[in-house]
Amino acid sequence: MRNLDTTFAALSDETRRAILGQLMQGEARLSDLAEPFDMSQTAVSKHVRVLSNAGLLVVEKRGRTRHCRLNASVMKEASDWIADYETFWTQQFANLAQHFSQRGPRPPKEPQE
Amino acid sequence: MTLPDVATTEPGDVLIIVEGHFAATPAEVFQAWTDPAIVKQWFGRVPNSLHSATIDLREGGAWRFLESSGEEKSVGFEGAYLVIEPDARLVFTWSKVIAHASGAREATPASQVDVTFSPSGDGTDVRLVHSSVHDEVTRHAFGGGWAFAFNTMRALLSTS
């Protein structure tokens, strides 16, 4: 669960989410990532480092350029949390429906006001 | 008793909405959520699987549903009630907690569950919204990450 906290903390920043959004279209050079943002290469690099530390993306050095790509498995962990809870609550509702259907006939309905 | 801060802060990102219709009155469904003996009959992986359920049904009161409790650790869910409108609505905080015998605790950051019960036909419609919480602590930790996780990650994963 600690890992997941790091993931969500890294995702708490708008710019970092935008960076990930860019990388969803595929790998990108670190130098190209700064382009859509009104900020310095250094600032973008800092965000990339946070994302990299959280395991959300991988930076690879090839020759003189750094390439960034998503690490889908860590993102999957986060989205699994949500999917798990969707399943969980759906299951609870099914349990509750079963609970009411198993208790036998209901007493007559009270008149509505 | 003062309520946890989350009660007064803006709602967070909606993560999950589940809706259902139940063949029972709103009062009966509300009771099924708030009477520990009944909770144990249906809540959990399968009916009658909970190890224990404790409920202090007042605003600010704590609740805890343990899935298992052994010598080494207990695993379950816990939180506090923020809003209690009898037969109509329950809002409570939610964390999954693993408590080790050593005293160490692993807990997910608190999220929030809002359950509304409304009469419909001869039964009750129940709508459950599970959201992240934007109090100062979780805002720092989560920010908009939840919504991103919910919408964008899923899109990513479904295409990869």
Side-chain angles (χ1 to χ4, degrees), chain B residues 81-94:
Chain B
Y81 293 102
L82 306 179
V83 178
I84 297 169
E85 295 173 20
D87 309 342
R89 186 169 176 228
L90 269 184
V91 182
F92 49 90
T93 57
W94 174 281

Side-chain angles (χ1 to χ4, degrees), chain A residues 9 79 85 89 92 95 99 106, chain B residues 41-42 44 94 122 130 141 157:
Chain A
S79 81
Y85 267 109
W89 285 120
Q92 299 319 304
N95 289 355
H99 169 80
R106 296 175 56 209
Chain B
Q41 290 172 21
W42 65 273
W94 174 281
D122 63 352
H130 196 154
L157 294 162

Side-chain angles (χ1 to χ4, degrees), chain A residues 1-2 5 7-9 11-12 17 20-21 24 56 70 72 75-76 78-79 81-83 85-86 88-93 95-100 103 106-107 109 112, chain B residues 15-16 18-20 22-25 28-29 33 38 41-44 47 77 94 98 108-109 122 126 128 130 141-146 148-150 152-154 156-157:
Chain A
M1 283 188 267
R2 238 161 286 145
D5 290 353
T7 306
F8 284 118
L11 289 169
S12 67
R17 293 200 297 275
L20 292 174
M24 281 178 191
L56 285 159
L70 290 177
M75 297 179 75
K76 187 170 183 327
S79 81
W81 189 97
I82 289 166
Y85 267 109
E86 245 174 0
F88 175 84
W89 285 120
T90 305
Q91 181 63 47
Q92 299 319 304
F93 272 43
N95 289 355
L96 185 58
Q98 194 188 357
H99 169 80
F100 286 123
R103 66 183 178 156
R106 296 175 56 209
K109 194 174 146 193
Q112 299 223 328
Chain B
L15 302 178
I16 293 149
V18 180
E19 292 174 314
F22 298 91
T25 64
E28 289 168 326
V29 183
W33 281 81
I38 304 178
Q41 290 172 21
W42 65 273
F43 197 94
F77 307 101
W94 174 281
I98 301 174
T108 57
D122 63 352
V126 178
L128 179 146
H130 196 154
F142 281 61
W146 284 109
F148 179 81
F150 189 46
T152 322
M153 282 192 192
R154 178 166 296 172
L156 167 76
L157 294 162

